[in-house]
Amino acid sequence: MTFKFNYFQKIIVLKHIKILVFLMFSGLIFSQNNDFYYVSALTGSDSNNGSETAPFETINRAISLVNPGDTIFVMNGTYQNDGYGTVDTTTNTNMNNNHVVTINKSGTAGAYITLKNYPGHTPIIQFDGRGGIVISNDMNYIIIEGFEVVGPAASITYAEAYANREYKVLAASDPDDDINYNHTYFSGKGIWGGYGAHHHIIIRNNIVHDTAGSGIRFNDSDHITIEYNEVYNTTWWTSSASSAVVFAETIASSEADNGTDVKMVMRGNLVYNNWNRIPFYVTQLPDNSGNTNPNYGTATYNNILDGQGLYVTRSDDNYYGTFLFENNVCVNNGKNGINFDNSLGASAIIQNNTFYYNGVHEIIQDISVANGNPGHRGQKVGGVKANKVQNVTVANNIVVTRDNLFSAIELPNISGSKLVLNNIFLNGKLPSDDSGVPYNFISCCNLIDVDPLFTEVPSSVNGAIDISQANFELTENSPAINAGDSAYSPTDDFLGNPRPTLPNAISFTSFENSNGGWSQFGSPTLTSTTATSKSGDFCLSVTNRTANWHSPKLALDNLLDVGETYTFYVWVKLASGGAGNAQITVKNTALNTYTSVTTSTAVNDQGWTLLTGNFTYPSNDPMFAYVKGPNIGDGVVSDFYIDDFTLAPQGSAEVDFSNIDGDDVVDIGAYEFINTTAGVWDYDTRYGQIFLYPNPAKNQITISKYNAGDQIEVMDLLGKYYQLSNQENTRNKTLTLDVSTLSTGIYLVKIRNTYTNSFQTLKFLKH
């Protein structure tokens, strides 16, 4: 069996790989207390000692020997479950083959057990039963990375899968229990934790595809990170209402560890072509299913309501943690790109993701009906949904749907705060009033019906998308560039390119590109204006106030830590002819209480007045800060402006906006735009464009798309070589060279790719 890797797959497989030599010299994981085991399906034997020169044949043999802190390196080859290839759906033979890999050992805090690919190798886990890699109940502190996990879905037909659902119904209705249903062939998962508890698990840099059930899933778990994986063609054939990447029934690992911190993470994943083809059937719904349809999941149920890209559902009602979704690319999935559902005490931050043409389910059903199958219809959603949760923040995302019949964003039943900031919505239906006008929390600070101008995307997708023919990076004219909210920004982007560095502040804005996360308290009009400014060209104008308290507000949810003290800074100026006072106040909306951050301070229309004060965050209740302007009265001009806002840890100075490049803030979407005119680059057919920046350079240069093991040589035009200190960032796939000791002049950087034995030469100017 051969597998052809496309551009995105190469990025995922090669991203963040650490070669053995680097690890030895960096001392990141090697110590006298840690052991290393090696596995090779091609040359190994389980009677070997598991060394690099005498590897084991099976992964499970190596797992039987590991202790906390140990690492298993898996070499090239295809690793299959026992009995692989013996499934016979016509006779229901071998329909429940076991997992390929079972991790039944647990690491400890600071000493994870790591199962990963041998550097430069891409081992394949292939299964036709329960799944590829499973973590046994109560096994914690585990890392899994660098595998291609392949299920049997490519060989399954609609007729087989639907017949299996009917057999499942028959088994449940058999009064004599003569029929034993255990056909995991139609529901096997790629990488998962079974249905038991786990905590502190990292699943990264894997390719998971063609699994009949979910690609990656964890139930009853806490502190789980799923990052930089590629998941596609999953969940097609299960009748279990599955989605591609799932956190279900999340519960705190302990009572003491049930705060509001970010603990569950889905980051940097490429998720596409995942949908359901078979209606849901279950003998008994879970207690907190959240669905009130009495026919849901019954034998006669014919609709399909699942097949999400990234999905969180049915968290424990008393789980208060925050789920973080960032830098994910979700394309052409059956329902939403992200669905955060039925988690009453939990919150989510959904930032810098790219969603394109999700909601393909109805199109798939059209194709299926044309092939003579019955239609299993559902609902037209295709972007982001959060329902029955505490708080949700949706910031810096791009959501492109097929047409306005598909919901781009739905936020019903949010008990706390909902913030929708600096997103781009194209084509999709938005939350609106009865007349179709988008609600204020949508219209005030998002770009609506604006084309994000991707590099290359198909204009129509009717069925599966060929991801190798799509590129969701931004073009140089994209409105997404420098249009994000820096208060909600990952440190790097989908490709590992760094986002703009933020000052030491919790939140800040000079309102140069947007409202900066501020929204209306009451019904004033907020406008970014050039009428006046404290710094830069813009400030925020507050007009049309009809009550004293009508003000601009900033939600504090998910920004602050309980018990910590913070300092507010904001500059205020009145409109011409205005007179009166201004004040910063925090409102606790749960208790309906108010806390004065500053005293009521006289402000004027001649210059800018600084309001500053300290505030100790007392609890996780929903709160917001607002800047109250002059009182409303006969003949009083109550319009005012605010600018240069900073919220920082106590003792930190306000942001110096004169030293911040107004044209270098976070971009919207999963990709940060790289201006190739600011550096030099070359193109490599295996890894894509390699950039060297800045150019010219004074102290250091950075090489992007650097791969562990590449050999770097620096020389001048006379052929003299220079040994320079360097720092490799495997997380961002960059290499930084210290060029401060070089004399002014032109230098060449020669990069030798150890995989292809090819060379590239880039030139830079040292000044």
Side-chain angles (χ1 to χ4, degrees):
M1 179 177 293
T2 59
F3 296 90
K4 183 179 179 181
F5 290 169
N6 60 41
Y7 169 74
F8 280 103
Q9 290 171 322
K10 291 169 186 173
I11 290 173
I12 299 296
V13 171
L14 297 168
K15 199 173 185 180
H16 316 303
I17 292 176
K18 301 179 178 73
I19 66 168
L20 212 54
V21 172
F22 169 74
L23 291 172
M24 291 176 66
F25 282 102
S26 67
L28 289 179
I29 66 171
F30 280 79
S31 73
Q32 294 180 346
N33 297 323
N34 294 343
D35 287 330
F36 302 90
Y37 298 95
Y38 300 82
V39 180
S40 172
L42 303 177
T43 63
S45 169
D46 283 354
S47 62
N48 287 342
N49 62 11
S51 66
E52 189 171 8
T53 57
F56 294 129
E57 180 182 8
T58 66
I59 299 171
N60 287 335
R61 173 71 176 110
I63 290 172
S64 69
L65 299 176
V66 294
N67 292 301
D70 291 352
T71 299
I72 300 172
F73 289 104
V74 183
M75 300 176 180
N76 280 337
T78 300
Y79 300 81
Q80 298 173 332
N81 53 262
D82 292 339
Y84 181 85
T86 63
V87 172
D88 186 343
T89 59
T90 63
T91 61
N92 292 327
T93 301
N94 292 338
M95 302 293 289
N96 191 35
N97 286 333
N98 210 347
H99 298 91
V100 181
V101 178
T102 299
I103 301 177
N104 54 10
K105 295 291 187 71
S106 185
T108 58
Y112 281 67
I113 290 174
T114 301
L115 176 67
K116 66 177 298 181
N117 63 308
Y118 184 83
H121 287 217
T122 53
I124 297 168
I125 307 293
Q126 190 174 38
F127 70 93
D128 61 1
R130 299 180 188 176
I133 302 174
V134 66
I135 303 174
S136 298
N137 293 355
D138 300 314
M139 299 296 109
N140 312 306
Y141 298 102
I142 294 166
I143 299 172
I144 300 172
E145 62 176 306
F147 294 92
E148 180 175 4
V149 183
V150 188
S155 301
I156 297 175
T157 66
Y158 172 86
E160 287 177 318
Y162 198 81
N164 175 71
R165 182 186 188 272
E166 293 181 322
Y167 185 85
K168 186 178 180 181
V169 172
L170 179 63
S173 61
D174 178 23
D176 299 321
D177 292 331
D178 294 329
I179 302 175
N180 180 23
Y181 179 84
N182 58 359
H183 296 182
T184 57
Y185 176 74
F186 289 101
S187 59
K189 302 164 187 64
I191 303 173
W192 69 309
Y195 293 104
H198 307 86
H199 60 82
H200 293 91
I201 308 291
I202 300 173
I203 310 296
R204 69 159 66 106
N205 293 339
N206 302 283
I207 300 174
V208 183
H209 61 95
D210 291 293
T211 61
S214 295
I216 304 173
R217 179 180 179 120
F218 282 87
N219 283 55
D220 298 301
S221 300
D222 197 13
H223 292 283
I224 309 294
T225 297
I226 299 175
E227 58 185 7
Y228 316 121
N229 302 281
E230 180 176 1
V231 181
Y232 65 96
N233 294 5
T234 71
T235 78
W236 288 14
W237 304 122
T238 180
S239 59
S240 298
S242 297
S243 294
V245 182
V246 180
F247 291 144
E249 300 174 323
T250 300
I251 188 168
S253 59
S254 69
E255 263 188 54
D257 186 27
N258 192 22
T260 61
D261 295 343
V262 171
K263 298 190 291 179
M264 304 291 283
V265 178
M266 295 183 183
R267 173 191 297 125
N269 300 287
L270 173 64
V271 184
Y272 61 98
N273 291 351
N274 304 284
W275 50 69
N276 288 181
R277 294 288 306 277
I278 307 300
F280 178 42
Y281 174 71
V282 67
T283 56
Q284 183 177 355
L285 288 173
D287 293 337
N288 59 346
S289 72
N291 195 300
T292 58
N293 183 343
N295 293 319
Y296 183 60
T298 65
T300 59
Y301 190 72
N302 192 55
N303 290 350
I304 292 177
L305 298 181
D306 290 277
Q308 322 280 354
L310 306 177
Y311 191 28
V312 172
T313 185
R314 294 184 284 113
S315 303
D316 185 85
D317 289 349
N318 296 316
Y319 181 81
Y320 302 120
T322 298
F323 293 79
L324 174 63
F325 307 82
E326 64 181 13
N327 284 338
N328 298 287
V329 179
C330 301
V331 181
N332 203 48
N333 296 290
K335 294 297 181 184
N336 292 289
I338 290 177
N339 192 348
F340 176 47
D341 178 69
N342 205 18
S343 301
L344 298 181
S347 302
I349 300 172
I350 302 171
Q351 61 186 21
N352 284 97
N353 302 281
T354 294
F355 307 97
Y356 188 79
Y357 277 22
N358 295 288
V360 71
H361 170 74
E362 297 300 311
I363 293 174
I364 296 303
Q365 289 306 307
D366 290 342
I367 297 172
S368 185
V369 170
N371 291 333
N373 303 314
H376 309 298
R377 301 297 176 179
Q379 53 187 338
K380 288 192 172 183
V381 294
V384 176
K385 183 174 182 178
N387 177 43
K388 296 182 180 179
V389 299
Q390 179 70 24
N391 306 300
V392 62
T393 298
V394 183
N396 304 339
N397 302 281
I398 297 176
V399 183
V400 179
T401 63
R402 288 173 169 79
D403 57 49
N404 61 12
L405 298 179
F406 290 84
S407 293
I409 182 169
E410 293 184 348
L411 303 175
N413 305 310
I414 309 299
S415 60
S417 67
K418 53 185 173 185
L419 302 177
V420 184
L421 312 169
N422 298 66
N423 303 279
I424 291 179
F425 298 109
L426 178 62
N427 300 333
K429 183 179 179 181
L430 301 173
S432 61
D433 59 25
D434 293 339
S435 64
V437 176
Y439 289 129
N440 287 337
F441 71 89
I442 292 290
S443 61
C444 71
C445 40
N446 298 284
L447 300 177
I448 299 174
D449 290 331
V450 173
D451 190 338
L453 298 180
F454 295 125
T455 297
E456 182 180 7
V457 292
S459 58
S460 64
V461 180
N462 296 314
I465 189 172
D466 181 355
I467 204 70
S468 67
Q469 301 302 309
N471 185 342
F472 295 95
E473 296 181 61
L474 305 174
T475 61
E476 63 181 354
N477 297 318
S478 171
I481 297 172
N482 302 322
D485 183 345
S486 296
Y488 300 94
S489 173
T491 57
D492 52 24
D493 75 350
F494 176 81
L495 295 177
N497 298 314
R499 303 271 188 187
T501 302
L502 302 179
N504 181 31
I506 307 301
S507 180
F508 65 95
T509 181
S510 63
F511 305 102
E512 293 302 301
N513 299 284
S514 67
N515 288 3
W518 290 72
S519 59
Q520 299 149 306
F521 181 27
S523 57
T525 299
L526 304 184
T527 308
S528 187
T529 179
T530 57
T532 183
S533 65
K534 174 69 171 60
S535 69
D537 298 320
F538 290 83
C539 71
L540 188 67
S541 168
V542 186
T543 60
N544 298 321
R545 300 173 64 226
T546 58
N548 291 338
W549 51 273
H550 285 186
S551 311
K553 70 176 183 179
L554 177 74
L556 303 180
D557 306 300
N558 301 317
L559 286 180
L560 310 181
D561 294 325
V562 174
E564 296 297 319
T565 302
Y566 302 87
T567 303
F568 284 82
Y569 304 89
V570 68
W571 292 81
V572 180
K573 182 180 179 182
L574 300 185
S576 178
N581 292 355
Q583 182 176 14
I584 302 175
T585 302
V586 171
K587 179 178 180 180
N588 183 319
T589 60
L591 302 177
N592 197 32
T593 58
Y594 298 81
T595 301
S596 296
V597 177
T598 67
T599 59
S600 183
T601 303
V603 291
N604 60 72
D605 62 352
Q606 299 301 306
W608 291 90
T609 301
L610 175 64
L611 303 182
T612 183
N614 294 325
F615 173 70
T616 300
Y617 191 54
S619 70
N620 287 313
D621 289 341
M623 302 181 196
F624 61 82
Y626 64 98
V627 179
K628 181 181 176 182
N631 289 338
I632 305 297
D634 293 337
V636 173
V637 177
S638 63
D639 297 347
F640 65 99
Y641 309 98
I642 65 172
D643 203 1
D644 289 6
F645 163 73
T646 301
L647 170 59
Q650 185 182 28
S652 298
E654 64 177 313
V655 171
D656 181 0
F657 289 97
S658 65
N659 289 329
I660 294 180
D661 185 353
D663 294 327
D664 190 23
V665 298
V666 62
D667 297 344
I668 299 175
Y671 295 86
E672 191 75 15
F673 176 72
I674 294 180
N675 184 359
T676 57
T677 63
V680 294
W681 66 94
D682 200 355
Y683 192 81
D684 179 277
T685 56
R686 183 178 178 97
Y687 301 118
Q689 286 185 319
I690 294 179
F691 298 94
L692 181 155
Y693 59 90
N695 187 34
K698 182 177 181 180
N699 295 315
Q700 64 183 30
I701 59 173
T702 297
I703 300 170
S704 72
K705 303 288 182 67
Y706 172 81
N707 292 277
D710 287 355
Q711 295 180 358
I712 306 294
E713 296 177 333
V714 178
M715 68 187 79
D716 59 26
L717 296 183
L718 297 178
K720 179 181 178 181
Y721 287 85
Y722 296 86
Q723 295 291 328
L724 303 178
S725 61
N726 64 78
Q727 182 174 3
E728 179 183 357
N729 188 330
T730 55
R731 169 73 172 79
N732 292 334
K733 291 178 67 63
T734 61
L735 184 75
T736 300
L737 300 175
D738 182 357
V739 299
S740 60
T741 59
L742 296 179
S743 301
T744 300
I746 297 175
Y747 294 84
L748 303 176
V749 177
K750 189 175 182 180
I751 305 170
R752 176 177 175 268
N753 187 308
T754 56
Y755 289 94
T756 63
N757 201 32
S758 60
F759 291 87
Q760 294 175 273
T761 301
L762 307 178
K763 182 169 60 176
F764 75 95
L765 172 64
K766 168 64 168 65
H767 65 71

